[in-house]
Amino acid sequence: MVKHTRKGQWMEIITPVKWQGKTIEDIFRNGWEVPRKLTHLFRMEHKVLVNGNRANWNLPLVLGDKVLVKLFGDEENSSVPPFFYDVQVLFEDDHVIVFNKPGFMNTHPNEETDRNTLLNAAQFYLESKGENSKVQQIHRLDKDTTGAILFAKHSIAGAILDRMLEKRQIKRTYLAIVQGRLELKKGTIHEPIGRDRHHPTRRRVSPTGQEAVTNYQFIKEEKGNSYVKCWLETGRTHQIRVHFSHIGHPLVGDILYGGKPLYKRQALHATKLEFTHPITGEEIICYAPFIDQPPIFNGIDVYTL
């Protein structure tokens, strides 16, 4: 674990054993895997100091060196207008924030006029605390899906988490209610997903689509429907919804993919989010309580999933 202290706009790290002998260049490019363009920006704008002086990016660090990185309050103004919504925070520190997304809310604006999205609400939340951050979503949830969703508070955290997502190092667990009784209590749906040429928003299983892998485990049966825990190896649009519809068990409430309209939305909730903290390296696990009123999921403790 990398210990650090916030000092105004700067993050201070006393060089730990794991950094000894490495250069700032090594840490940015190989340790954090920050993109070349962003690394160049930090170098050219002198946003890294070592022992109070402008960093020599090619000089090996010595155990105990004070490294300061200017991460906070020095980014360009956000183009996302703030929008007030009392959204639940599941985890927060100086670098990342995890929200419990409500239903019927987009993750981000799809049109220039969109305001009531989670990204806008996140911007309002930070500004109301006096934080001058350009918040960045790391992944997304469908408009009518609820649950845990991860945001970065600054560009370095965002770049590191983007890379983790690409490498499938951020684990997302969902709970769904699907129609009917599942023949297999545990399995994997490995079917490529592509666009439906006959519908602007639908996706479908297609041999020319992108690889998509959904793992699932039966939890319980209620009123002829099955509660299913799902965890993804890929993150395709509508992935869980498409996969279960494809095997004949559409999500309850998901009328777009053949589900019965028993609820106002599809019965899908992102219950748990697991990731390695981009700066400290510690393992973070967030559980998202159910927030539907009236409730959709009954008799389930999210902390056991």
Side-chain angles (χ1 to χ4, degrees):
M1 178 175 170
V2 176
K3 296 182 179 181
H4 68 284
T5 304
R6 179 167 180 173
K7 296 192 172 181
Q9 294 183 328
W10 300 80
M11 173 184 69
E12 181 185 79
I13 296 175
I14 306 300
T15 298
V17 173
K18 64 183 294 185
W19 282 14
Q20 187 176 12
K22 296 182 179 179
T23 66
I24 299 296
E25 183 78 20
D26 288 334
I27 292 164
F28 267 70
R29 296 295 301 278
N30 302 316
W32 289 343
E33 296 185 44
V34 177
R36 182 174 299 175
K37 183 177 179 180
L38 186 57
T39 298
H40 180 73
L41 178 70
F42 270 73
R43 184 192 291 110
M44 291 298 100
E45 295 188 358
H46 309 297
K47 291 186 175 183
V48 183
L49 306 178
V50 176
N51 297 325
N53 301 310
R54 290 179 181 176
N56 181 332
W57 282 62
N58 298 306
L59 187 67
L61 292 170
V62 175
L63 192 66
D65 277 346
K66 291 184 178 181
V67 178
L68 286 162
V69 185
K70 196 174 187 182
L71 294 179
F72 311 110
D74 193 37
E75 302 194 47
E76 60 186 78
N77 292 330
S78 173
S79 60
V80 178
F83 165 77
F84 172 72
Y85 190 95
D86 191 15
V87 62
Q88 184 181 25
V89 175
L90 303 176
F91 175 85
E92 180 182 10
D93 66 5
D94 288 331
H95 311 282
V96 300
I97 185 166
V98 180
F99 291 106
N100 192 4
K101 177 188 167 300
F104 316 109
M105 174 182 271
N106 283 319
T107 299
H108 56 77
N110 294 313
E111 304 289 342
E112 191 173 336
T113 55
D114 287 352
R115 293 290 186 273
N116 57 338
T117 78
L118 185 59
L119 185 62
N120 297 86
Q123 193 65 45
F124 181 95
Y125 172 79
L126 293 180
E127 289 185 14
S128 69
K129 296 174 61 185
E131 294 189 26
N132 182 25
S133 301
K134 185 179 180 181
V135 68
Q136 172 190 337
Q137 69 182 66
I138 303 304
H139 58 105
R140 64 182 294 274
L141 294 174
D142 294 340
K143 180 178 181 179
D144 294 343
T145 298
T146 54
I149 183 167
L150 176 61
F151 287 77
K153 285 188 173 184
H154 54 75
S155 58
I156 294 293
I160 296 170
L161 290 168
D162 279 345
R163 183 257 304 166
M164 289 181 179
L165 187 68
E166 185 179 337
K167 291 185 174 183
R168 305 179 183 179
Q169 294 172 341
I170 298 176
K171 184 177 180 181
R172 293 163 286 167
T173 303
Y174 296 79
L175 181 67
I177 306 176
V178 303
Q179 291 180 192
R181 177 181 296 178
L182 292 172
E183 292 184 11
L184 297 176
K185 301 306 181 186
K186 190 174 184 179
T188 298
I189 308 171
H190 192 167
E191 297 286 353
I193 292 176
R195 290 184 176 274
D196 187 331
R197 292 178 298 170
H198 306 291
H199 196 286
T201 58
R202 275 176 60 103
R203 299 296 192 273
R204 66 186 181 92
V205 167
S206 168
T208 59
Q210 295 178 297
E211 181 187 24
V213 182
T214 302
N215 301 294
Y216 69 88
Q217 180 179 338
F218 172 83
I219 301 296
K220 70 172 185 174
E221 186 178 333
E222 184 177 271
K223 297 179 181 179
N225 298 317
S226 298
Y227 281 62
V228 185
K229 179 173 77 170
C230 310
W231 58 101
L232 308 181
E233 294 184 26
T234 54
R236 308 304 173 204
T237 299
H238 299 177
Q239 179 172 319
I240 293 173
R241 300 164 64 188
V242 172
H243 271 169
F244 278 97
S245 178
H246 177 71
I247 65 172
H249 297 279
L251 272 62
V252 176
D254 190 4
I255 57 175
L256 183 63
Y257 291 102
K260 296 178 182 178
L262 301 182
Y263 307 116
K264 293 182 179 180
R265 68 176 187 88
Q266 69 263 7
L268 184 61
H269 180 72
T271 59
K272 183 166 67 170
L273 180 68
E274 302 169 75
F275 62 98
T276 301
H277 193 283
I279 302 299
T280 68
E282 62 186 319
E283 295 303 315
I284 306 296
I285 301 177
C286 297
Y287 294 90
F290 302 120
I291 53 179
D292 291 287
Q293 292 297 332
I296 290 178
F297 302 95
N298 300 307
I300 297 290
D301 181 359
V302 295
Y303 295 96
T304 65
L305 296 175

